[in-house]
Structures are given as structure tokens and as C-alpha cells.
Amino acid sequence: MSPTQWDLPPELCCRPMAFVALTGLDVVYNAVHRAIWDAFCANRRADRVPISFKVLPGDHEYPKCRTKRTSYEWYIPKGILKTGWMNKHLNLVPALVVLFYELDWDDAQWKEKQSECATKVEIVRTSLQGRNTKVAVVLIQKKTPLPPGEDVVASERAAALCNACDLSGKSLFVLPHTDHLVGYIIRLENAFYEHAQTYYYNEIRRVKSHKEFLNKTTHQLLFVRHQFKTGFFSELKQDTQNALKHYRSAYGLIHELRAHETNMLEIKTLAGFINYKICRLCFQHNTPLDAIAQFRKHIDLCKKKLGSGDLAFEHTAWMSKQFQSFGDLFDEAIKLGLTAIQTQNPGFYYQQAACYAQERKQQASQFCSHEPNVTYPLPDPLETLSGVLDFYGQRAWRQGHQSIDPPDPDREKQGVLALQMKERSVQHSELIIALLSNAVAQFKKYKCPRMKSHLMVQMGEEYFHAKEYTKALKLLDYVMCDYRTERWWSLLTSILGTALKCSYLTGHVKDYITYSMELVGRASTLREDQKSRIEKNLIRVLMNEVPEEEPNCDAGSVRAAQGLWGERLTLAAGNEFTIEVQDCVPFIQCKARFLSPSFHVDEPVQLHVYLRADWAGFRFVFQ
């Protein structure tokens, strides 16, 4: 399924890991370098440090570092969180850049190579453009080094190289390319991880240092932003307890913001992001009750933040995604060892997500059904120059606008119209069916048969609305047995009604006859006039005639069905159908009575067989 605007960004959902860039490795043409890269990447078990490695060229241009702000006195923030910020620190700005360089201590051209190595280090520093990223050098050597202190030449040359490259002794490493390569790589990783920890610690301190310049009158958005950033850097540092603390602070601060129609979507979007982080960390810390309590609090706080009435479907779409995301987190935690129970399992969250998706479908039908002469606005108000939004949750046509009233009322109307027309193209039934399917799988797993059957009926009805009549019929036929067994006649009647429409629209003659016979029988709760209509149609089929169309069916599907019925009845002329009445509630009741309480051997046994038809139009013919 293609991503939608309501899907959480992948950089939010992944586990943040320290980003380390490796330069100086030719992994395509150099076998030694390739072996080193493979040792870093392959077999990354849980016991190895959480680092994300990437090979980059030595002169790679990293994102430019903005000029450091010295005062916030006149600064008015344009949004809460930039759309590229998380990805930037996960994949673009490294905590550490490691330069690999082939150089042995006894190399005959030591001076020249030392100078070349220093130049490469300087190129890396220049490309980082003032960022606090650490730089380290790894010397790839052919020989296994002697124990520290025993090789005087190595000690002298290491000090000279550090001096030439402006490196501390802790940032110079040696990697012998021997049989024990993986062992050396793991030791290197641990050292890289320590450098990365220091980098993220300094980034957290840098973000916290801004607080003294902020005031609560004009910088409310920055308080949320800085708490989120501190939480994210703490995750990169693998300090999840502190991360959780800062995300909780950010969540409390975001609900202190003054919410109005102009910024409602931005507040809900970021609240959803932070809630996701809190719930994920609670599950990670094996405190599922905290995760559930946080999610319930989140829904209670946000369910009334509706936003624009003309875009009500956006709110239900967002609510649906909140429940689905929590269901995914819950399910992931169970796969990692958490124990769930019948009354508290992911199925309930997927079910609620499906309910909101169904409500979204109804609202889309209500708000997005424009006259045929209404066309999509041009220029497209949903397009941006860069192709993406600057800040999460903002409107494309008024990015960075934070005041209560929209800057251009006409542009606002065009934007709302564009969103409504985009909503018309959404495959709502596909979304609903996927959520219901997830819920069914969970209720089956936790042995909740009635919930499973109930949701399968909803899936069948949704397939019917999506015009996938064969799939609908298959699902409904599967659950009918449960409702017959438990004698829930009103529910069975409703399901049979949908099944009858599906069998009519697909031209399944035998199924149509079977469902019709059951609907005119004693188990059916239909009104007499409805039974009479079905009875007349059934007689038409038995007379080899095309039945009249079923009510509330898609006009195009009805036209196609009439052609199918014409073909099939022509081919089926003179054929007989065997109906297995033991699989349904038959419209015929049968009872037998012996004429005598006992019979002698060789004496003919006489009995009376009583047949009663619930359907007035039925005639018994005995042969």
C-alpha cells in the first residue's frame, strides 16, 4: 500500500542509532577495503554496539551548519519541528567521521604519507563546516602491532601523525588486516561508540543551553521543539530513560499551546509523534500499562481537537492512524516477549482504527461530493517549491504562518477544496479491510471467536461496497454457520441479505437459490413484503427467468449482472440443483410418526411423514 500523509515518517518509527561515516574505503575495487566494510556490516547481532555505518567519499559535502544564534529577542518561530531534522541526524550529519588510510609504521615514504593523511583529515574537517562532529583516523596495516610501549618507532610516529592531523591520541587507531579482522573491528566499534556518545552528550548540552534565552510569550513552540530534540539525541545516545523524560515534557508542553483552526493539525501531528515515542519506549522498558495509560490520555486530549469542519475527514483519518500505530507497537512488543490477554490485545486497537476509517469514509462522502463542474484548483495549493513541507503538520499554502487568521481567505478556500478533491481518490474500503483483517488475525490468535466473526461480517460488507462481490460472499458464507448455531436470527438475516445481493451480482445461480430459500424461511426476520419480493424472484429463477435486481446495489454492477444471468440461465436450461439443507436453516420442516408403538418381525412398518413449508409458494411433488 502506498504511503499517505497520515503515515508516520520512517525516521520517527526506527530505532535511533549513532551515525558514523567511514571515508577512505574503496569497497568496489579494493578487496581489503571490501573485507573491512563487510566486517562492519555483516552479522550485526544484538550484542554489538548500536551504530549505523555509511561509506562516504573523503570530500563528501555534509549539510551546512547554520550560523549560531546569539539572541532570541526578536525571533518568532515558524513551526515546531522541521520535516528534515530527524533524518538529518540519523543519516546526514555523523557523530563521527573515520578516515581509513593505508600506512605502516615502517613505511619507506612515511613523511610524504603523513602529510597526505593530514591533508585528507583537513578536507574532512572543511566539509563538516564548523559542526561538532568528531574526526578519527584508522591506519590499515599489514603487520600485527607489538604491545603498547614496545615499539618505540610506532610511538614516535603516532605522536607525530596526531600532531600533523591535529588529533588527540584517543582518535588514532590501528587496524591490522589479519585473520582476526572481525575481532579488531569490534574493538574499533566500541571506541567509535564512545566518541559518538560524547558527540550526542555535547549536542544535548547545546540544545539545553538555549533555554535561558527563551520566554513563554513568544517562544512556546521552541520549548516543545527543544524537549523533543533533547529526547531524540538521548535516544541516539541510547539513554532511553532520559529520552522518555524529555518526550513526556514535550508532550505536556504541546498541550499548553493555544490551539485554533490554523495550527490544530500541526499540534495534533506533533502530539501524535511524541505519543508514539513515549509508548514505544514504555513497551521497550517492559512497562505496557504505562504505554496503555499514555495512549488513553493521548486520545482523551486529542479526540476533541477537530479542526476545520470542512475537513472533518482529516481528524478521523488521524485518529484511525493513532489507533493503528499503537496496535502495531503493541503487536511488536508481543513478538519480543510481552504477554497479552483476551481483554487487552492489539485487536481492539485495530478494530477502533477501522471504526474511524469507516467514519472517515462517510465524512468523505458527505464533504467531498462536489458538482461535476467543480475542478481541481490551479495552481495546486498543495504543492511546495521543494516538494516537501518545511514543518510537520502545516498547510502547504501557508507554511510558517502561526497567527489565528489565515493570511489569504481565498487561498484557504482553494486549499480546502484541493484536500477534499484529493480525499475522493482515497481507496477507503481498502484501508478499512486491511485494518479489519489485522483485527481478525489478533482475535483469532487470542481465541475470541465472536469478535472474529463480527469483524469478518464487517469485512464482507466492506468488500461488497468495494464491488469485490466474490470475496464478500466467501467471507460471509464462512461466518453464517456461527450465527446459525447460536440462533442469532436478526444477524443471520442481515448477513444473508448481503450474501443474496453478492450472489445476484456475480450470477451464482445455486447460491442465489440457497440464500433465497433461507430468507423466506422461519429463521428470517424480514417483513412479509420483503419475503414476498424474494419469493417472486426465486420463482422466476426456477422458471428459468432472470430475477429482478436486488435493492441498494451499484447500478453498473446490476447492468453487468443482468447480462451474466441471461447467459447462465440459457446454459443451465433443464439443469437440476441439489441444495444441501443441512448446512442452513431449511424452509421445510420435517417430522415422522410411527403408526404403532411396536411391530413384529416381517411385519411392514408404517409411519407418517409430515412436511411443512414456511414458504407459501412452495409445492411438494412426490415421485
Side-chain angles (χ1 to χ4, degrees):
M1 194 179 294
S2 60
T4 70
Q5 72 174 105
W6 306 112
D7 288 340
L8 297 174
E11 55 268 28
L12 180 84
C13 301
C14 70
R15 178 194 175 188
M17 292 193 291
F19 172 37
V20 173
L22 310 180
T23 71
L25 291 176
D26 181 358
V27 297
V28 178
Y29 298 108
N30 189 313
V32 171
H33 292 191
R34 180 73 208 183
I36 292 169
W37 172 237
D38 287 344
F40 275 112
C41 296
N43 195 23
R44 293 208 64 82
R45 302 183 306 272
D47 59 341
R48 289 179 71 167
V49 289
I51 297 181
S52 169
F53 290 107
K54 193 181 288 186
V55 171
L56 297 173
D59 58 352
H60 176 78
E61 284 194 25
Y62 300 93
K64 291 182 180 178
C65 186
R66 288 185 307 148
T67 307
K68 301 289 188 259
R69 188 176 298 281
T70 56
S71 170
Y72 282 87
E73 190 175 353
W74 301 105
Y75 177 63
I76 306 295
K78 294 182 178 180
I80 301 174
L81 185 67
K82 286 206 167 185
T83 52
W85 187 85
M86 285 185 285
N87 181 61
K88 181 172 78 173
H89 289 283
L90 285 171
N91 299 307
L92 302 178
V93 177
L96 173 69
V97 177
V98 182
L99 171 66
F100 285 82
Y101 189 72
E102 293 191 34
L103 180 60
D104 284 285
W105 298 126
D106 57 357
D107 194 288
Q109 297 177 307
W110 171 262
K111 283 286 184 185
E112 293 85 346
K113 289 195 174 181
Q114 175 183 290
S115 178
E116 185 184 8
C117 182
T119 303
K120 287 178 180 289
V121 170
E122 187 56 35
I123 291 170
V124 169
R125 285 206 177 99
T126 304
S127 65
L128 288 166
Q129 302 181 43
R131 291 198 175 274
N132 296 324
T133 300
K134 308 288 181 185
V135 178
V137 172
V138 174
L139 300 181
I140 303 172
Q141 298 185 341
K142 299 183 183 71
K143 302 173 185 174
T144 303
L146 295 172
E150 291 187 18
D151 191 336
V152 178
V153 174
S155 300
E156 290 175 356
R157 290 193 166 180
L161 185 61
C162 286
N163 188 47
C165 297
D166 193 18
L167 290 172
S168 75
K170 292 182 178 179
S171 298
L172 177 64
F173 306 94
V174 172
L175 176 61
H177 186 255
T178 64
D179 294 339
H180 304 291
L181 181 63
V182 174
Y184 283 112
I185 292 291
I186 290 174
R187 286 171 63 186
L188 275 181
E189 277 181 2
N190 292 329
F192 296 167
Y193 184 64
E194 286 182 23
H195 280 294
Q197 293 277 85
T198 305
Y199 168 80
Y200 292 121
Y201 172 75
N202 289 332
E203 288 299 288
I204 290 168
R205 287 185 61 189
R206 183 179 60 79
V207 173
K208 284 182 174 180
S209 70
H210 296 309
K211 187 175 181 179
E212 61 187 277
F213 302 110
L214 307 183
N215 67 74
K216 288 211 168 185
T217 308
T218 54
H219 299 143
Q220 302 99 319
L221 304 186
L222 294 183
F223 282 99
V224 180
R225 181 192 297 177
H226 291 168
Q227 287 295 331
F228 182 89
K229 286 186 174 182
T230 306
F232 197 82
F233 280 133
S234 296
E235 276 198 279
L236 284 164
K237 190 172 173 284
Q238 306 307 311
D239 183 358
T240 54
Q241 291 292 350
N242 260 324
L244 185 57
K245 183 183 81 172
H246 289 292
Y247 285 138
R248 287 191 190 279
S249 297
Y251 192 83
L253 288 165
I254 203 163
H255 285 293
E256 291 178 12
L257 298 176
R258 185 183 176 189
H260 42 78
E261 276 193 19
T262 313
N263 70 353
M264 192 77 78
L265 182 62
E266 184 174 13
I267 287 174
K268 282 195 304 190
T269 299
L270 266 295
F273 286 7
I274 300 167
N275 171 74
Y276 181 88
K277 283 289 192 183
I278 293 171
C279 293
R280 187 185 183 104
L281 288 174
C282 286
F283 279 126
Q284 196 174 314
H285 294 159
N286 203 26
T287 54
L289 294 180
D290 289 351
I292 292 167
Q294 163 62 30
F295 182 72
R296 286 176 177 168
K297 171 186 168 185
H298 173 59
I299 294 301
D300 286 343
L301 286 169
C302 294
K303 65 184 177 185
K304 293 178 183 175
K305 287 181 163 56
L306 302 177
S308 169
D310 293 330
L311 298 172
F313 54 85
E314 282 196 333
H315 179 69
T316 45
W318 180 83
M319 288 290 285
S320 176
K321 182 54 69 173
Q322 300 309 296
F323 278 95
Q324 182 187 354
S325 300
F326 188 78
D328 290 342
L329 282 176
F330 200 169
D331 189 40
E332 181 187 341
I334 290 164
K335 288 173 181 172
L336 293 172
L338 180 71
T339 303
I341 55 175
Q342 257 194 354
T343 54
Q344 190 59 262
N345 70 70
F348 290 104
Y349 299 95
Y350 290 130
Q351 181 195 8
Q352 195 60 44
C355 288
Y356 275 110
Q358 287 165 334
E359 190 179 340
R360 174 189 182 183
K361 181 183 175 183
Q362 292 165 2
Q363 290 171 337
S365 175
Q366 179 184 348
F367 293 107
C368 307
S369 300
H370 301 98
E371 297 295 326
N373 60 339
V374 177
T375 57
Y376 192 85
L378 292 173
D380 188 349
L382 305 183
E383 280 190 359
T384 61
L385 291 174
S386 62
V388 294
L389 292 169
D390 291 337
F391 291 91
Y392 286 112
Q394 293 193 352
R395 301 296 187 190
W397 61 87
R398 51 171 163 80
Q399 294 192 78
H401 183 79
Q402 289 293 329
S403 62
I404 294 176
D405 298 317
D408 184 346
D410 291 334
R411 188 73 172 154
E412 192 75 15
K413 287 178 184 175
Q414 296 289 299
V416 169
L417 175 62
L419 288 169
Q420 289 175 337
M421 297 192 82
K422 285 268 188 186
E423 184 70 11
R424 270 168 35 183
S425 63
V426 173
Q427 300 295 321
H428 292 100
S429 289
E430 189 179 318
L431 296 173
I432 295 164
I433 289 165
L435 291 167
L436 288 171
S437 179
N438 285 347
V440 166
Q442 294 292 333
F443 287 122
K444 183 179 179 182
K445 180 179 176 182
Y446 293 100
K447 297 179 174 57
C448 309
R450 287 184 176 174
M451 285 298 295
K452 185 188 83 168
S453 298
H454 169 61
L455 296 177
M456 286 179 76
V457 171
Q458 289 188 18
M459 279 178 71
E461 289 172 347
E462 208 53 55
Y463 272 125
F464 173 76
H465 294 308
K467 303 177 190 176
E468 296 193 45
Y469 305 116
T470 303
K471 289 182 179 178
L473 200 54
K474 186 177 179 182
L475 271 174
L476 296 174
D477 198 44
Y478 180 83
V479 295
M480 279 183 211
C481 302
D482 297 335
Y483 292 100
R484 288 190 191 103
T485 305
E486 302 204 8
R487 307 171 75 85
W488 288 357
W489 304 132
S490 58
L491 295 173
L492 178 62
T493 302
S494 174
I495 299 167
L496 283 167
T498 307
L500 183 67
K501 290 174 186 175
C502 292
S503 59
Y504 167 75
L505 294 170
T506 52
H508 287 164
V509 182
K510 184 178 176 180
D511 286 342
Y512 185 84
I513 293 170
T514 306
Y515 299 136
S516 295
M517 286 181 166
E518 197 164 2
L519 279 167
V520 298
R522 66 185 184 280
S524 170
T525 60
L526 292 178
R527 300 190 310 270
E528 287 305 314
D529 61 319
Q530 293 172 312
K531 287 187 176 183
S532 177
R533 183 191 65 78
I534 294 171
E535 178 185 322
K536 288 173 184 174
N537 264 345
L538 182 53
I539 292 171
R540 287 174 70 91
V541 175
L542 295 176
M543 299 296 290
N544 227 40
E545 296 175 12
V546 177
E548 292 180 0
E549 67 182 74
E550 291 297 311
N552 303 319
C553 290
D554 175 70
S557 300
V558 167
R559 285 193 294 273
Q562 287 169 340
L564 273 174
W565 276 91
E567 292 172 15
R568 292 188 181 179
L569 288 176
T570 302
L571 293 171
N575 281 1
E576 294 181 357
F577 292 106
T578 302
I579 308 297
E580 303 288 345
V581 293
Q582 73 269 19
D583 296 332
C584 60
V585 181
F587 67 97
I588 300 171
Q589 298 180 66
C590 180
K591 184 170 70 173
R593 182 174 71 87
F594 289 103
L595 293 185
S596 174
S598 62
F599 294 93
H600 294 288
V601 178
D602 295 335
E603 181 184 352
V605 176
Q606 292 184 330
L607 65 150
H608 285 175
V609 177
Y610 299 89
L611 294 175
R612 176 181 171 182
D614 300 318
W615 168 31
F618 186 81
R619 291 185 303 119
F620 292 106
V621 179
F622 297 98
Q623 294 182 344

